[in-house]
Amino acid sequence: MKMMKIGFVGGGKMAQALAKGFIKAGLTKGEMMLASCLPTDKTSIQEFEAMGSKAVFSNPEVANHSDVLVLSVKPQIIKKILPELRDSIQKKKTLLLSIAMGVSLKTLENSVPEGTPIVRVMPNIPVLAGCGATVYVRGKHASSKDAEITKKLFSAVGLCEEVPESMINPITALAASGPAYVYMMIEALADGGVKMGLPRDLAYRLASQTVLGAGTMVKETNIHPGVLKDDVSSPAGSTITAIHSLEKNGFRGAVIDAVEAATLRCKEFSPNDTDK
């Protein structure tokens, strides 16, 4: 795949993380990227300039530059900025990648010239560490080549899979919101260690590494997590005793309830994401 001219409409932290990942993977170069930033957002401007990229204050200028245009602005202003981009998108046949939460393909396709290839993408915050979990949905005019480009780009910052749009809300609840649940668990594990006498900094290091290691084992071995759990649960040992305590306190039920609650909340924000 040849190096691509990539533009970001919106230059926030997610855009910066993606840009760094794309460069690191050799998919583009700093000088081939352009981002639109607010004049007051000095931090974002400096971050893109440090990559060898240019930050500008014009969304159409970014669109005119780009073969691939990443819409990385807040969902509530998507409809406002898309009309600014229509002429540039139509002229260049630009591939649009939208990472705006809750903005459906239908909404996007109704706001751009007919025939525009659009892919809706849902990354999560660990893309900042190159360990993201991203899913994408093709619009009706997005080709297999467009899907290939999307997968290549977002695989540079973690896992990336194609899904139907009807799955977006539960995926948002699990993967996009999920890091917050895991951060709470890390905090709780560390608090438990501190209660039992560990220094706070050591407790956080051990808790975060334990979560990282456990997740890596599930991902890399393809062994069911229940089997891995059994492997460390010796008869009458400390682990099975702790598991009993977690079960008595509704640990699994609380996590399942959290994903359900977040999914229902997502549906309130994105009513167009109907079951298809």
Side-chain angles (χ1 to χ4, degrees), residues 101-105 120-123 133-138 160-177 259-260 262-267 270-276:
M101 191 196 82
V103 182
S104 68
L105 284 170
R120 182 180 175 187
V121 187
M122 176 57 66
T134 300
V135 297
Y136 66 95
V137 184
R138 277 189 258 183
C160 182
E161 297 191 11
E162 184 172 10
V163 298
E165 193 167 32
S166 59
M167 289 185 181
I168 285 288
N169 287 326
I171 287 172
T172 301
L174 190 158
S177 300
V259 175
E260 180 182 32
T263 300
L264 295 175
R265 183 62 171 156
C266 287
K267 287 183 178 180
S270 50
N272 287 324
D273 294 338
T274 54
D275 295 332
K276 296 172 184 175

Side-chain angles (χ1 to χ4, degrees), residues 241-258:
T241 303
I243 288 171
H244 184 204
S245 178
L246 288 171
E247 294 288 15
K248 283 194 297 184
N249 286 283
F251 177 75
R252 286 195 241 204
V255 175
I256 293 168
D257 284 348

Side-chain angles (χ1 to χ4, degrees), residues 112-143:
V112 295
E114 178 67 23
T116 300
I118 301 176
V119 180
R120 182 180 175 187
V121 187
M122 176 57 66
N124 68 358
I125 199 64
V127 299
L128 292 166
C131 296
T134 300
V135 297
Y136 66 95
V137 184
R138 277 189 258 183
K140 61 185 177 181
H141 301 295
S143 67

Side-chain angles (χ1 to χ4, degrees), residues 132-156:
T134 300
V135 297
Y136 66 95
V137 184
R138 277 189 258 183
K140 61 185 177 181
H141 301 295
S143 67
S144 57
K145 181 66 173 178
D146 296 324
E148 181 187 349
I149 290 170
T150 304
K151 188 172 181 67
K152 188 79 171 178
L153 287 169
F154 284 87
S155 292

Side-chain angles (χ1 to χ4, degrees), residues 1-8 18-20 22-23 25-36 48-56 61-70 92 94 153:
M1 186 181 294
K2 69 175 184 178
M3 287 197 174
M4 293 171 277
K5 290 182 178 180
I6 300 174
F8 295 89
L18 294 174
K20 290 173 184 176
F22 299 162
I23 292 172
L27 299 173
T28 189
K29 294 180 180 179
E31 58 267 29
M32 296 178 71
M33 293 191 301
L34 199 62
S36 60
F48 274 96
E49 288 177 345
M51 293 180 239
S53 303
K54 186 179 176 184
V56 298
E61 184 177 349
V62 175
N64 282 325
H65 162 86
S66 307
D67 301 315
V68 177
L69 187 63
V70 182
K92 293 203 67 175
T94 308
L153 287 169

Side-chain angles (χ1 to χ4, degrees), residues 199-211:
R200 173 66 66 180
D201 59 344
L202 175 62
Y204 273 125
R205 289 199 303 274
L206 291 174
S208 57
Q209 184 64 30
T210 297
V211 169

